[in-house]
Amino acid sequence: MSETVTGFAYLAAAICFIMALRGLSSPDSARTGIVLGVLGMVIAILTTVFEPTIVSFDLIVIGVIVGGAIGTIVALKIKMTALPELVAAFHSLVGLAAVFVAIAAFFAPEAYGIGVLGNIEGASLIEMSLGAAIGAITFSGSLIAFGKLQGTLGGSPLVFSGQHALNAVLSIILVASIIWLVQTNYELAFWIIIGISIVLGFLIILPIGGADMPVVVSMLNSYSGWAACGIGFTLSNTALIVTGALVGSSGAILSYIMCKGMNRSIFNVLLGGFGGEVDGPTAVAGGGIDKAIKSGSGEDAAFIMKNASKVIIVPGYGMAVAQAQHALREMCDLLKGAGVEVAYAIHPVAGRMPGHMNVLLAEANVPYEEVFELEEINTEFSTADVAFVIGANDVTNPAAKTDPSSAIYGMPILEVENAGTVLFIKRSMASGYAGVDNELFFRDNTMMLFADAKAMTESIVQALD
């Protein structure tokens, strides 16, 4: 394959990737975006495989078969609730791949046309070092994110005295090691870069609380893109450079949007330890609140909603765990059939990753025009007769507005407390993923529905029908 054909093929792949991102910006065009992304990746892979520099297909074919088989099995078996963990795990693999490519390029530079062992071009060493460093941070950081999302590491932030100072010292050593490597080609400097970067990945993510994991997933997505971009320069691969830059920049933009949605500083996200000022669950804010709660049944909830004129649904991770989206759609169809106006309110960090709730509702064929983001619908709660909260907790917690000591203080919330009645489906009175008690449970206008989200919703459906 000539360089001209290769260039045009990579250009076509890049256009497909750009159009894929454009398609994924809206639920209506998301499927088209996914198809374009897959098409772009197929073009990029085939173009790379048939490059004249490829002399053996054995390992490539084995890698494609093994990787493709694993990807297919995971895609068929993974549950929707486990998608955040899956994304974090895949990010770690992208980072590890960048590290391995950097190692291969450092010890066999002739194969990449960047010099000989011990005398590699300075520009290539910079590209290689940055790719390896970002890749190593992405790898170790994603492992921590995976553990926190899966619950094996717990959602509480791990903070210690001198944490930021240690990060600063390690960052200085990392930069010094890159300079040392560029000047000397010394092998020890290369391994120090990788080692410190892995440690930094742990230190950046460990102090971040569970409630902030959606932002972390987005941030690590950006890191994995920049790691791929840096290695693309080392390999002189245009497709990898463009793809990495697209992933890195789009992930950075999404991280900014997520930070805005949680009232976090983007600089704190990049430095690590944001949202970690509070080590554990905080007390319920708002002294003087009656600690008694009101609980009800599916029949009670059905009666209240059937006699309402406007109901706003607030889905959360509990809905995802129970796989209650289809029962919820059925319930809303019955309400609309009875003349009740229904809308869905989505918080930007509901669930465990950006867009988690949107994907689940789309799976249940909920009409896109009924789904609204926080900024669009928050003022509507005061006009709603009922706010039906199904599995959401932290994103509805008034402590974010009333308790300065809370781990979620300052985070914009869905103001469900302004509705006439709040129906809150929850298994127990336990705090949410952020470890913060929800004072909303004790409000006079709140009725708790203690049950599995799917079971309770099905009970309401039976009562409505």
Side-chain angles (χ1 to χ4, degrees), residues 1 6 10 44-61 111-112 235 237:
M1 186 179 291
T6 298
Y10 280 155
I45 292 174
L46 292 178
T47 303
T48 302
V49 167
F50 289 106
E51 283 254 1
T53 53
I54 303 297
V55 295
S56 175
F57 292 93
D58 297 346
L59 290 177
I60 294 175
V61 172
Y112 299 89
L235 301 179
N237 188 296

Side-chain angles (χ1 to χ4, degrees), residues 100-120 128 190 234-235:
F100 283 162
V101 172
I103 293 173
F106 183 79
F107 288 102
E110 302 91 342
Y112 299 89
I114 57 176
V116 296
L117 184 61
N119 188 25
I120 301 174
M128 188 190 308
F190 180 72
T234 301
L235 301 179

Side-chain angles (χ1 to χ4, degrees), residues 27 30-31 34 78-85 313-330 332 344-347 349-368 371 373 390-392 453-454:
R31 291 182 182 274
I34 292 174
I78 195 71
K79 294 181 179 179
M80 291 294 292
T81 50
L83 277 180
E85 296 98 295
I313 311 296
V314 181
Y317 189 64
M319 183 192 77
V321 172
Q323 289 289 283
Q325 61 269 27
H326 296 283
L328 180 66
R329 164 69 192 276
E330 186 179 357
C332 291
Y344 297 81
I346 305 295
H347 193 282
V349 295
R352 293 292 184 269
M353 64 182 295
H356 200 181
M357 295 301 104
N358 302 76
V359 172
L360 290 172
L361 295 179
E363 183 190 20
N365 294 316
V366 170
Y368 300 136
V371 180
E373 300 295 332
I390 176 169
K454 184 177 181 181

Side-chain angles (χ1 to χ4, degrees), residues 18 67 70 86 95 125 128 133 151-152 157 168 199 249 270 284 317 332 356 376 410 417 419 434 437-438 441 455:
I18 294 171
I70 294 174
L86 179 66
L125 284 173
M128 188 190 308
T152 54
V199 174
S249 56
L270 295 173
V284 174
Y317 189 64
C332 291
H356 200 181
E376 301 173 298
E417 73 269 22
D437 292 328
N438 195 338
F441 300 162

Side-chain angles (χ1 to χ4, degrees), residues 164 204 219 223 255-256 259 264-274:
H164 293 297
I204 288 174
M219 178 184 69
Y223 285 178
S255 297
Y256 174 77
C259 286
R264 305 297 193 193
S265 166
I266 186 67
F267 296 106
N268 286 340
V269 176
L270 295 173
L271 294 175
F274 68 101

Side-chain angles (χ1 to χ4, degrees), residues 18 24 31 38 81 83 113 130 152 188 202 227 231 239 241 254 303 334 338 347 353 365-366 383 422 446:
I18 294 171
L24 291 172
R31 291 182 182 274
V38 171
T81 50
L83 277 180
L130 292 176
T152 54
L188 178 60
F202 289 130
I231 292 302
I241 295 171
L254 181 58
F303 178 81
L334 290 172
H347 193 282
M353 64 182 295
N365 294 316
V366 170
T383 66
V422 179
T446 299

